[in-house]
Amino acid sequence: MRKSALGLLAATAALGLAASNAQAADLPSRYSPAASYNALPVFTWTGFYAGLNAGYGWNVGDSRFYDPTFGSIPGRRHGGFVGGGQVGYNYQFGMFVAGVETDLQYAAVGNKGASYGTTYYPGDSDGFFGTIRARAGVAFDRALVYGTAGFAYGDVGGNRGTDPVLGHHSGDEVNWGWTIGAGVEYAVTNNFTAKVEGLYVDIDTKDNYDRGGRVNIDRDAEFGVLRAGVNYKFN
């Protein structure tokens, strides 16, 4: 009987311990669930963009006019307003950004006057130019430092003048050349960016007259441009 009583007591204790463990398992955990973490979106330069720009340009080329008596005469340098629009696309990989951009500009930098002897006869300085360029740079989060180079075209200088004998003659035409430059751009918001950019543009022009006959004398339209612009970046 004593053995039976001891066995019954042991069985009762075992059942009680099992019930206590089951009850503890049903109690709520003392540890809080892991807090959810929503990462802030990282800015990227990748995407299409379009914008406007304005600045100043100045003729630095040795534009020349051919005079039948005095030969090839240097023209005069001129500067003025430059403004227009641009569209492009950037792709960012790591810190590096590569892209393409094209722009079209009004430019009052033309050296379209003529020289006859030692007398200068001013011509129309209004014109236009455009570029098709590659861009490559390094991004420091929202700041981008880049270089750019490519093709240039336009009717800027070297095509029009006034001869005291033959009068006013016009030779407007679109010529091609090249351009190179650099700039800094900053993303003010995820969609709007602002930039400052400098370009050197060289557009070859050959359009002069020798007593009514055209003479292909170089009148390079070389000019610098310093401009500021804003872009809207599409998501």
Side-chain angles (χ1 to χ4, degrees):
M1 284 185 67
R2 182 177 298 175
K3 290 182 179 180
S4 298
L6 289 174
L8 181 61
L9 182 62
T12 302
L15 288 174
L17 181 61
S20 175
N21 289 338
Q23 219 174 15
D26 292 337
L27 292 176
S29 173
R30 295 179 182 178
Y31 300 99
S32 301
S36 60
Y37 175 71
N38 296 322
L40 293 175
V42 178
F43 177 79
T44 176
W45 287 93
T46 298
F48 289 95
Y49 63 88
L52 300 172
N53 68 80
Y56 183 81
W58 59 97
N59 194 305
V60 298
D62 188 17
S63 180
R64 309 180 74 85
F65 173 76
Y66 183 81
D67 182 276
T69 303
F70 298 95
S72 184
I73 307 298
R76 289 189 179 181
R77 297 178 179 181
H78 191 275
F81 173 78
V82 171
Q86 68 273 344
V87 295
Y89 178 80
N90 288 320
Y91 182 77
Q92 182 171 356
F93 45 100
M95 289 183 61
F96 300 99
V97 177
V100 292
E101 181 176 291
T102 181
D103 63 329
L104 186 61
Q105 309 286 131
Y106 165 83
V109 299
N111 189 359
K112 294 186 176 181
S115 296
Y116 190 90
T118 58
T119 305
Y120 179 77
Y121 300 88
D124 184 6
S125 64
D126 293 342
F128 77 92
F129 78 94
T131 69
I132 303 171
R133 294 172 285 108
R135 299 203 318 167
V138 179
F140 302 92
D141 192 17
R142 291 178 174 269
L144 174 64
V145 181
Y146 64 90
T148 182
F151 297 101
Y153 63 92
D155 176 15
V156 182
N159 300 324
R160 182 180 298 172
T162 301
D163 187 288
V165 177
L166 302 175
H168 179 81
H169 54 72
S170 175
D172 293 341
E173 60 182 31
V174 176
N175 296 278
W176 286 83
W178 56 272
T179 181
I180 190 169
V184 178
E185 191 166 0
Y186 183 79
V188 181
T189 70
N190 286 343
N191 294 105
F192 286 97
T193 68
K195 69 175 184 177
V196 177
E197 183 177 74
L199 292 177
Y200 177 84
V201 185
D202 186 339
I203 300 176
D204 292 333
T205 59
K206 294 182 178 181
D207 197 356
N208 288 272
Y209 291 79
D210 177 4
R211 296 195 184 279
R214 179 168 296 186
V215 178
N216 287 328
I217 303 297
D218 288 339
R219 297 189 70 187
D220 289 346
E222 302 173 38
F223 55 95
V225 174
L226 182 61
R227 61 191 182 183
V230 292
N231 287 319
Y232 179 83
K233 188 173 79 70
F234 301 96
N235 290 328

